C-alpha cells in the first residue's frame, strides 16, 4: 500500500464534490493513472530493475538537486552530523539533582541526509522539500551514576533506517524528488518518477515521535507504520506491523490506556478506510480491536485522545487544492466553510457507536488532555 503523505493529499481532494466537472475528470484520470502505474511496477524483477535504472539516468540528466538556503532564523533546522561513537558530555550547566534517575532520554526529529533540505531544478520547474521532510534521527542522552556519586552522561545519535532511508543511503545521494511544494509540473513529475522508481511517492521519514509499548521502543511519523528501535545502540530493528495486523499509517501519538495497559492507535489514509482506530494488547502481540470509522472524506486527524472508557478524535476540514498543480498556490487548503466534528467512541465501539459533536471549523493538531467527569467527556 502506498501510504505516503502526498498520496493522502491527492486522494483527499478526490472526495470533494464541489469542484467543476472537468476538474473532477482530470482528477479521476490522475488517480487511475497512479493506480495503473502501481500495477505496472509488478513486472519481472530484471525488467523492472532495467526500467528503474533507465529512469535513474533520466532523473540524473534532467533534475539538479540544490541545497536550500538556510536563513539565520532556520538554523535550528540545520542537520547535525551523525556520530560514529557515543560522546561523553562534559559541558553541563548547573547540577544534576541527587535523586535524578539513571536512564535514557531519547527523542527524534528531522535531520535531512546529504547536507540539508534540497530543491530540484528541471525543465518542469522547481520543487522543494518542506521542513518536516528530513530523515528521522534519534538523539539519546544516557545518564549513569558512578559509585562515587558523580554522573556519567553520554550522547549518541543515529538515523532511523527506514526502507526509504536505506534506498537513498544505498544510492549515496538525494534520490526522492521533492513532491510537496513547488511548481505544478515539477510536483507532478516528482509524483510519477518517485512512484516508478521507488514504489512510493514520498519518503518514510520516521521523525515525529518515539513511544514505548510492552518494553519495546518505536520511532514513528504518521505516514507509515513505526520502526522498532534499540534504545541502547539506536539501531533500527524493523517495522512494527503488530504481527501483520496493522499494515497502514500509524498515528504519531498513540495512547496507553490506564488500567488495561493497551495501546490505542489510529491510522489516517488517503483512500478508504480513511480513518481506522485500533487497540493493541498490553503485551504488544495482538491487535485486539480494529474499526473503520467509515468517514466519507479523508481527514487529517493527527492525534487521538483517550479517557478511561472512550476514544476521542477529530474530524476537521482540510482539503488539497489540486488546481494548484495547474495554476500554482498552496497545495494544502484549510476549509473555513467545511464542517468539523469531535467524535467520541467507546474503547471497543464501532462506527455506529460514535457520538459526533459539531464544532466550528478549525484546524487542531494536538489534544492537551481528555477526561471523564461523571457522564461527560
Ligand atoms: Fe504531533
Amino acid at each position: 500500500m502506498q501510504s505516503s503523505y502526498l498520496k493522502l493529499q491527492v486522494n483527499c481532494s478526490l472526495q470533494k464534490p464541489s469542484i467543476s466537472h472537468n476538474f473532477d475528470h482530470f482528477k479521476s484520470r490522475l488517480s487511475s493513472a497512479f493506480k495503473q502505474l502501481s500495477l505496472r511496477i509488478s513486472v519481472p524483477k530484471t525488467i523492472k530493475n532495467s526500467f528503474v535504472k533507465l529512469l535513474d539516468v533520466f532523473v540524473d540528466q534532467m533534475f539538479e538537486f540544490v541545497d536550500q538556503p538556510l536563513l539565520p532564523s532556520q538554523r535550528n533546522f540545520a542537520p547535525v552530523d551523525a556520530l560514529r561513537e557515543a560522546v561523553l558530555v562534559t559541558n553541563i550547566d548547573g547540577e544534576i539533582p541527587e535523586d535524578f534517575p539513571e536512564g535514557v532520554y531519547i527523542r527524534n526529529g528531522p535531520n535531512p541526509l546529504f547536507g540539508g533540505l534540497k530543491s530540484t531544478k528541471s525543465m518542469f520547474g522547481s520543487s522543494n522539500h518542506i521542513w518536516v521532510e528530513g530523515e528521522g534521527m534519534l538523539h539519546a542522552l544516557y545518564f549513569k551514576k558512578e559509585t562515587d556519586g558523580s554522573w556519567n552522561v553520554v550522547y549518541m545519535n543515529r538515523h532511523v533506517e527506514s526502507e526509504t532511508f536505506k534506498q537513498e543511503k544505498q544510492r549515496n545521494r538525494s534520490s526522492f524528488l521533492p513532491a510537496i511544494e513547488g511548481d505544478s509540473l515539477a510536483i507532478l513529475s516528482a509524483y510519477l518518477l518517485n512512484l516508478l522508481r521507488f514504489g512510493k511517492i514520498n519518503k518514510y521519514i520516521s521523525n515525529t515521535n518515539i513511544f514505548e509499548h510492552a518494553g519495546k521502543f518505536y520511532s514513528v511519523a504518521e505516514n507509515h507504520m513505526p520502526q522498532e528501535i534499540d534504545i541502547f545502540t539506536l539501531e533500527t530493528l524493523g517495522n512494527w506491523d503488530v504481527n501483520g495486523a496493522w499494515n497502514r499509517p500509524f498515528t504519531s501519538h498513540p495512547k496507553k490506556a490506564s488500567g488495561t495497559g493497551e495501546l490505542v492507535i489510529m491510522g489516517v489514509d488517503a483512500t478508504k478506510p480513511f480513518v481506522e482506530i485500533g487497540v493493541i494488547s498490553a503485551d504488544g502481540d495482538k491487535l485486539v480491536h480494529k474499526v473503520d470509522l467509515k468517514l466519507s472524506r479523508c481527514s487529517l486527524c493527527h492525534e487521538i485522545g483517550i479517557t478511561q472508557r472512550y476514544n476521542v478524535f477529530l474530524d476537521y476540514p482540510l482539503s488539497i487544492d489540486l488546481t494548484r498543480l495547474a495554476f500554482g498556490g498552496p497545495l494544502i487548503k484549510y476549509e473555513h466553510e467545511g464542517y468539523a466534528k469531535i467524535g467520541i467512541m467507546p474503547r471497543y465501539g464501532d462506527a455506529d457507536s460514535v457520538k459526533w459533536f459539531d464544532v466550528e471549523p478549525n484546524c487542531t493538531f494536538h489534544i492537551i488532555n481528555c477526561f471523564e467527569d461523571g457522564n461527560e467527556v
Side-chain angles (χ1 to χ4, degrees):
M1 184 194 312
Q2 309 307 319
S3 55
S4 75
Y5 196 52
L6 202 52
K7 182 180 173 193
L8 172 96
Q9 295 166 350
V10 168
N11 284 284
C12 281
S13 63
L14 294 179
Q15 304 307 313
K16 291 192 65 61
S18 59
I19 306 178
S20 74
H21 171 264
N22 281 345
F23 194 61
D24 283 345
H25 181 65
F26 165 70
K27 284 187 296 185
S28 87
R29 289 286 298 276
L30 189 66
S31 174
S32 66
F34 283 148
K35 279 174 191 158
Q36 284 168 27
L37 287 167
S38 299
L39 288 175
R40 280 179 205 163
I41 288 171
S42 310
V43 293
K45 213 171 180 179
T46 45
I47 300 175
K48 183 182 159 188
N49 287 346
S50 308
F51 181 55
V52 168
K53 275 182 190 161
L54 203 64
L55 287 172
D56 278 346
V57 172
F58 175 77
V59 169
D60 288 344
Q61 294 296 318
M62 301 300 292
F63 290 82
E64 182 194 0
F65 281 87
V66 292
D67 290 326
Q68 286 184 17
L70 205 63
L71 302 171
S73 61
Q74 297 172 323
R75 274 193 323 185
N76 218 23
F77 300 129
V80 298
D81 292 337
L83 300 176
R84 289 175 190 275
E85 289 176 355
V87 293
L88 188 67
V89 179
T90 53
N91 54 341
I92 297 173
D93 277 351
E95 281 187 14
I96 300 172
E98 189 76 9
D99 57 352
F100 193 75
E102 288 185 310
V104 187
Y105 171 76
I106 186 165
R107 51 155 292 179
N108 65 358
N111 197 71
L113 281 170
F114 311 119
L117 298 171
K118 302 284 189 254
S119 299
T120 51
K121 289 179 180 170
S122 72
M123 61 182 287
F124 306 111
S126 89
S127 68
N128 319 297
H129 284 138
I130 59 172
W131 70 271
V132 295
E133 288 190 273
E135 282 73 12
M137 177 176 265
L138 307 168
H139 304 264
L141 276 173
Y142 301 88
F143 293 84
K144 187 172 182 305
K145 204 168 193 177
E146 303 298 349
T147 45
D148 65 358
S150 65
W151 282 95
N152 185 304
V153 182
V154 168
Y155 168 79
M156 181 60 186
N157 68 25
R158 191 164 174 175
H159 273 111
V160 183
E161 300 191 359
S162 68
E163 293 142 65
T164 57
F165 172 91
K166 287 181 196 162
Q167 284 173 312
E168 286 212 317
K169 220 32 192 173
Q170 197 179 16
R171 289 159 180 254
N172 201 26
R173 63 188 192 279
S174 296
S175 302
F176 274 80
L177 298 166
I180 293 183
E181 181 188 85
D183 296 321
S184 313
L185 273 177
I187 289 180
L188 263 180
S189 53
Y191 260 60
L192 294 172
L193 290 164
N194 288 346
L195 192 60
L196 288 168
R197 291 189 304 151
F198 303 109
K200 48 193 76 74
I201 294 167
N202 275 325
K203 296 185 275 189
Y204 298 145
I205 43 184
S206 198
N207 66 14
T208 312
N209 194 16
I210 291 174
F211 63 91
E212 176 272 342
H213 188 60
K216 294 180 176 177
F217 299 85
Y218 303 94
S219 172
V220 66
E222 66 196 340
N223 68 341
H224 194 42
M225 62 187 98
Q227 283 72 53
E228 187 183 348
I229 54 170
D230 181 325
I231 58 165
F232 297 105
T233 63
L234 302 188
E235 192 184 344
T236 304
L237 304 175
N239 291 336
W240 186 38
D241 63 1
V242 198
N243 286 317
W246 191 271
N247 185 17
R248 56 173 287 132
F250 190 112
T251 177
S252 292
H253 303 294
K255 295 293 180 305
K256 183 98 66 140
S258 65
T260 67
E262 292 166 328
L263 194 70
V264 183
I265 62 171
M266 67 173 184
V268 176
D269 209 345
T271 50
K272 283 185 175 177
F274 293 118
V275 180
E276 282 191 316
I277 306 287
V279 182
I280 298 173
S281 60
D283 63 11
D285 283 344
K286 276 191 210 134
L287 186 70
V288 295
H289 190 64
K290 187 181 188 182
V291 58
D292 172 8
L293 289 188
K294 294 184 180 162
L295 295 190
S296 58
R297 64 176 179 179
C298 172
S299 179
L300 188 59
C301 183
H302 176 69
E303 179 159 25
I304 186 166
I306 60 166
T307 69
Q308 203 75 24
R309 294 174 293 169
Y310 299 98
N311 308 322
V312 180
F313 32 81
L314 311 151
D315 173 17
Y316 64 83
L318 186 97
S319 78
I320 303 311
D321 190 354
L322 270 183
T323 50
R324 181 186 188 279
L325 290 177
F327 307 112
L331 189 65
I332 301 173
K333 187 179 165 195
Y334 165 56
E335 293 281 326
H336 295 269
E337 304 304 322
Y339 64 88
K341 296 184 295 185
I342 295 175
I344 296 176
M345 183 184 87
R347 179 81 74 247
Y348 308 101
D350 58 19
D352 294 333
S353 64
V354 179
K355 188 154 188 182
W356 290 106
F357 297 87
D358 292 332
V359 293
E360 277 192 29
N362 69 90
C363 189
T364 301
F365 244 56
H366 293 110
I367 296 171
I368 294 175
N369 199 1
C370 295
F371 60 92
E372 292 174 40
D373 183 8
N375 287 327
E376 289 185 7
V377 171

